[in-house]
Amino acid sequence: MPLHKLEHFDPNYRETFGGDDVKSLDVYTEGGQKIGLVVDVLVDDDGRFRYLIIDTTLDSFHKKILLPVGLSRINYPARTVHVDGLSREQIERLPEYQEIGNIDVDYEEKVRSVFRPSTSNLTYNNAYSYQKEPALYELNEQYHQTFRLYEERLIANKHRVKTGEVAVGKHIETETARVTVPIQKERVLIERVVPTEVGTFDSNELKFQEGEVARIEVYEETPEIRKEAFVREEVRVKKVIERDTVEAQDTIRREELNIDTAGELHIQETDTIKHENI
């Protein structure tokens, strides 16, 4: 079956795996010795991992090899890959991986033969399938399953909305105003009374005259009304910001892990994630 580099098979593989990337993970033996790092992955036509391409470095020894994925234990959070039972002698016996050219069935058989137990009676032929050796190719399904636990959280955001508008202007109102002005008017009072001095006069001595006139000027005040404008008040228009805290609540869900075991098993669970309510 043809094999493909992971990025050639799926250019968006990081999104497919939820952000996890097997490339550049450090590779350790079961005893904790670092032997190199993962530089790529080979997948089959169905996208199933078959080999890790490992750039090995042991002392001054350096070469790229193919490791059947079933022999590895990938720990994405720790950015490590542990390989069960990989020795220097096996690394030296493995054929060096070349970037140029396709990997044929004979090349794969050379890789498998290094890891295959001496007690295996499996015969190699052109009808080989990966299912025949689950220890090399299917342990990743047993030990490398990623179980995603989802949790809901409340996201608080805010946006501005127009709640109204205030228009401040002015208009003219009319009313009738009244004002009181005291005025004076002059009038002429003519009184005809009995003389206080009683006596007689000689007619020859008196000169009767016609047309004698007594003139008295008469005045009166008239009101003078006018209008003047003045500033009655000033109106200042401005905005102020009032701050308040709005509390909202809703029901959120979180998935928790259920572990059911059968028999006397020792399971070590490492919890590196703290749940926080947001």
Side-chain angles (χ1 to χ4, degrees):
M1 179 180 292
L3 297 174
H4 317 274
K5 285 190 174 182
L6 180 57
E7 194 166 3
H8 295 167
F9 181 83
D10 182 5
N12 300 317
Y13 73 91
R14 294 178 182 86
E15 298 179 7
T16 304
F17 297 145
D20 292 331
D21 192 355
V22 70
K23 294 183 182 181
S24 300
L25 298 186
D26 292 327
V27 182
Y28 293 86
T29 64
E30 192 175 21
Q33 180 185 7
K34 183 177 178 181
I35 60 173
L37 76 160
V38 179
V39 294
D40 216 325
V41 180
L42 295 181
V43 300
D44 60 19
D45 288 339
D46 296 324
R48 297 166 67 91
F49 281 23
R50 293 308 181 190
Y51 296 99
L52 301 180
I53 303 177
I54 300 177
D55 189 359
T56 62
T57 303
L58 290 175
D59 299 330
S60 59
F61 184 76
H62 173 81
K63 75 174 179 179
K64 292 182 179 179
I65 63 171
L66 294 186
L67 177 73
V69 71
L71 300 177
S72 66
R73 291 182 287 113
I74 303 174
N75 188 335
Y76 286 111
R79 303 287 300 165
T80 60
V81 175
H82 285 81
V83 182
D84 296 334
L86 183 61
S87 64
R88 181 188 182 96
E89 187 269 336
Q90 287 176 313
I91 295 176
E92 292 177 349
R93 288 173 51 200
L94 284 168
E96 185 171 4
Y97 171 75
Q98 302 290 339
E99 296 287 343
I100 302 175
N102 294 325
I103 299 175
D104 55 22
V105 292
D106 292 331
Y107 182 92
E108 288 190 78
E109 179 58 24
K110 292 178 182 179
V111 174
R112 287 189 288 265
S113 63
V114 175
F115 300 103
R116 187 176 292 142
S118 58
T119 57
S120 174
N121 56 2
L122 182 67
T123 58
Y124 165 66
N125 54 53
N126 290 330
Y128 179 85
S129 66
Y130 296 113
Q131 288 73 22
K132 291 183 178 181
E133 293 185 279
L136 296 180
Y137 297 104
E138 294 186 5
L139 285 179
N140 59 325
E141 295 184 358
Q142 181 178 356
Y143 295 114
H144 298 160
Q145 296 184 29
T146 300
F147 205 6
R148 299 185 184 275
L149 302 178
Y150 292 91
E151 178 180 355
E152 294 177 329
R153 62 182 177 181
L154 295 181
I155 303 298
N157 204 345
K158 59 183 179 180
H159 61 279
R160 291 167 58 91
V161 295
K162 182 178 179 179
T163 58
E165 182 177 299
V166 176
V168 179
K170 61 182 182 179
H171 66 282
I172 298 175
E173 294 183 355
T174 61
E175 63 176 340
T176 301
R178 291 179 174 83
V179 62
T180 300
V181 180
I183 61 174
Q184 294 180 347
K185 293 183 179 181
E186 295 177 346
R187 63 186 180 89
V188 177
L189 179 62
I190 301 175
E191 296 181 346
R192 301 178 73 173
V193 298
V194 176
T196 57
E197 294 182 3
V198 178
T200 60
F201 299 90
D202 186 358
S203 300
N204 293 324
E205 293 179 358
L206 291 176
K207 294 180 179 180
F208 291 89
Q209 297 179 359
E210 293 184 357
E212 185 178 355
V213 178
R215 297 182 179 275
I216 298 177
E217 294 183 349
V218 178
Y219 293 92
E220 71 175 31
E221 296 175 338
T222 59
E224 180 182 346
I225 307 300
R226 62 185 179 87
K227 296 184 290 185
E228 67 176 5
F230 65 95
V231 178
R232 179 168 58 91
E233 64 176 326
E234 290 184 351
V235 178
R236 297 178 181 177
V237 181
K238 62 181 180 179
K239 293 194 300 184
V240 296
I241 298 177
E242 296 182 351
R243 302 187 182 277
D244 194 6
T245 300
V246 178
E247 182 177 350
Q249 65 179 20
D250 200 352
T251 302
I252 60 175
R253 298 171 296 174
R254 181 174 67 240
E255 295 178 342
E256 295 290 350
L257 187 64
N258 294 329
I259 302 176
D260 296 326
T261 62
E264 296 184 359
L265 300 177
H266 298 283
I267 298 178
Q268 181 179 0
E269 180 181 354
T270 302
D271 186 6
T272 59
I273 301 177
K274 296 182 179 179
H275 297 288
E276 296 182 356
N277 294 326
I278 299 178

